[in-house]
Amino acid sequence: LLPQIKSLAANENDLIANLANVCAALKFGMNFLWVGFYLVKNNELVLGPFQGPIACTRIAIGKGVCGIAWQKQKTIIVEDVAKFPGHISCSSLSKSEIVIPVFDKNKNVIAVLDVDSDNLNSFDKTDELYLKEIVSLVRF
């Protein structure tokens, strides 16, 4: 998927268009349950482009996996969302999750990439490595 996403992002300057294509490429290329971006707006995460079942629209800092990844400014991998304290369940089909924070040039979190699987323990450090690389291809 890296060459495909790199090609798509290199020829498009619109952020929303690029985020939408990244979501589609990941969703259909990897068969994830849900792939999407939440953008930091007015001190909360607001739903951006995504692929999959309907999603939560707004998430506060420190709430759920996305809000904690934003607050701690680090990737969070959850093997079993049922065991994650404070997990926000937008879909009962979600079993595991990875959230990658996206930083601006001043190292502030400006978005998070959220990926959910309908299988337990779907994500590891290899996924983190490649998802970070994919996010780096998009000009925020």
Side-chain angles (χ1 to χ4, degrees), residues 67-81:
I68 292 173
W70 173 27
Q71 182 181 49
K72 293 187 175 187
Q73 300 186 7
K74 68 175 195 171
T75 297
I76 297 183
I77 298 171
V78 180
E79 296 175 357
D80 182 349
V81 297

Side-chain angles (χ1 to χ4, degrees), residues 32 34 36 65-66 69 75-78 81 96-100 113-117 122-129 131:
F32 293 128
W34 195 91
V65 182
C66 291
T75 297
I76 297 183
I77 298 171
V78 180
V81 297
S96 60
E97 184 172 4
I98 184 170
V99 178
I100 309 287
L113 170 61
D114 182 15
V115 183
D116 290 32
S117 171
S122 290
F123 305 105
D124 59 22
K125 291 291 184 184
T126 301
D127 297 295
E128 178 182 4
L129 176 74
L131 290 171

Side-chain angles (χ1 to χ4, degrees), residues 8-113:
L8 287 166
N11 296 316
E12 180 55 60
N13 290 322
D14 186 83
L15 176 62
I16 301 302
N18 282 330
L19 296 180
N21 273 332
V22 166
C23 291
L26 285 170
K27 167 76 172 133
F28 293 100
M30 300 299 295
N31 197 32
F32 293 128
L33 173 67
W34 195 91
V35 178
F37 287 90
Y38 282 92
L39 308 173
V40 176
K41 295 183 179 184
N42 299 319
N43 206 33
E44 63 184 342
L45 293 172
V46 179
L47 182 63
F50 74 95
Q51 293 279 321
I54 61 170
C56 304
T57 306
R58 295 177 185 271
I59 300 173
I61 192 165
K63 300 295 182 186
V65 182
C66 291
I68 292 173
W70 173 27
Q71 182 181 49
K72 293 187 175 187
Q73 300 186 7
K74 68 175 195 171
T75 297
I76 297 183
I77 298 171
V78 180
E79 296 175 357
D80 182 349
V81 297
K83 296 179 180 176
F84 188 88
H87 178 257
I88 299 170
S89 180
C90 297
S91 170
S92 62
L93 298 175
S94 179
K95 302 295 183 212
S96 60
E97 184 172 4
I98 184 170
V99 178
I100 309 287
V102 180
F103 299 91
D104 66 10
K105 63 182 179 183
N106 297 319
K107 299 187 180 180
N108 297 308
V109 176
I110 56 172
V112 296
L113 170 61

